[in-house]
Amino acid sequence: MPSPKTLPSKSRNVVAPASSPSRLPPTPVLLQQPSHKKGQWKSTKLFRRVKSVFRSFPVINPPCKMPVSNRQHEGHIHGGKQMTGTLFGFRKARVNLAIQENPRGVPLLVLELSIQTGKLLQDMGSGLVRIALECEKNHSEKLKLIDEPIWTMYCNGRKVGYAVKRGPTEEDLKVMQNLHAVSMGAGVLPTESSEGELTYMRAFFERTIGSKDSETYYMMNPNGTSGPELSIFFVRI
């Protein structure tokens, strides 16, 4: 009789779909729906169209209109709402950002960022990283800021490409489920992909809303201890 830890992928009766080489090992998804979103996520067709356009955009380097904050990064910014933020992806692939109300919830926001996971984590290990995400106002549509589909992305003032919003995929939800007991930390998750292990970093973020056109997420270090510093600015101009 096989032990409970035997991986089903090695059974001859189980055949993994050939189109999904990066799947995580099967995990039941039991995440909570966000408090203000109960129901099905929107179709991913729009995301696929925008993503195909986003990959073809040229990379130029105009100045970044990053908001200037007078707050000092001390690990905790008072007056905001605490959220859970997770950076995850294969080291040589684009990094994904998921924002949740808590570690056990379905993400409120998932963004694919145009920077490699390994590069971003390396930069964070070297000091302060500021990511600014900008989009233009569309007066014919009244979207919430985090519902904007595409953003121009800057990292420490340098344009690095674009970020695209998507509804959480099945693989995204499996990552969140595997990390549901993790509040803060970094590590790797085993996968069935030829790209190897999936790297993640999770922390609490302080969400500060400046206006309907600006939000900031400050990564919080536990008990004011020193560590990687990350700020993410969302700006609609």
Side-chain angles (χ1 to χ4, degrees):
M1 178 176 178
S3 67
K5 294 185 179 179
T6 301
L7 293 178
S9 61
K10 294 185 178 180
S11 171
R12 293 187 178 181
N13 296 323
V14 178
V15 179
S19 60
S20 303
S22 62
R23 285 175 174 267
L24 290 168
T27 302
V29 176
L30 304 172
L31 299 172
Q32 304 166 357
Q33 287 289 341
S35 59
H36 66 284
K37 288 189 178 181
K38 307 287 185 182
Q40 297 296 325
W41 289 92
K42 296 180 180 179
S43 170
T44 59
K45 289 184 179 179
L46 176 61
F47 158 70
R48 289 171 182 159
R49 290 175 187 158
V50 173
K51 184 176 180 179
S52 64
V53 174
F54 140 74
R55 292 187 188 279
S56 66
F57 285 159
V59 176
I60 54 179
N61 292 285
C64 170
K65 301 179 180 65
M66 184 183 295
V68 177
S69 173
N70 294 323
R71 299 175 185 235
Q72 297 296 319
H73 294 268
E74 298 174 349
H76 185 82
I77 308 297
H78 296 285
K81 181 179 179 180
Q82 180 174 288
M83 310 290 284
T84 296
T86 309
L87 296 164
F88 63 98
F90 297 106
R91 293 193 67 85
K92 294 184 178 181
R94 289 184 175 91
V95 66
N96 302 287
L97 169 67
I99 299 292
Q100 301 163 274
E101 289 182 337
N102 60 71
R104 297 177 181 271
V106 171
L108 296 167
L109 173 67
V110 178
L111 288 176
E112 180 180 331
L113 309 180
S114 56
I115 185 172
Q116 289 185 350
T117 305
K119 175 69 167 100
L120 179 59
L121 296 181
Q122 180 182 1
D123 290 347
M124 290 181 61
S126 302
L128 173 64
V129 173
R130 294 183 178 181
I131 293 175
L133 302 173
E134 293 182 2
C135 70
E136 294 185 2
K137 291 182 181 179
N138 186 340
H139 297 286
S140 64
E141 296 184 12
K142 295 183 178 180
L143 291 176
K144 291 183 179 180
L145 185 63
I146 63 171
D147 288 336
E148 293 286 353
I150 189 165
W151 303 81
T152 304
M153 178 177 170
Y154 300 86
C155 185
N156 288 343
R158 182 174 63 88
K159 184 174 180 180
V160 294
Y162 296 85
V164 176
K165 178 186 175 179
R166 67 164 184 255
T169 65
E170 180 183 351
E171 297 306 308
D172 296 332
L173 295 177
K174 285 182 179 179
V175 172
M176 298 301 104
Q177 180 64 42
N178 281 319
L179 297 177
H180 75 279
V182 178
S183 297
M184 305 181 76
V188 295
L189 293 174
T191 70
E192 298 172 356
S193 168
S194 59
E195 296 184 76
E197 297 171 321
L198 185 140
T199 303
Y200 74 88
M201 192 208 72
R202 169 169 282 183
F204 288 122
F205 284 74
E206 194 84 18
R207 178 190 185 190
T208 302
I209 300 177
S211 70
K212 65 179 182 179
D213 295 320
S214 66
E215 293 185 16
T216 305
Y217 291 77
Y218 297 95
M219 191 173 77
M220 301 162 58
N221 289 311
N223 302 320
T225 58
S226 60
E229 295 190 43
L230 173 65
S231 300
I232 304 172
F233 303 87
F234 292 81
V235 185
R236 187 160 48 192
I237 57 176

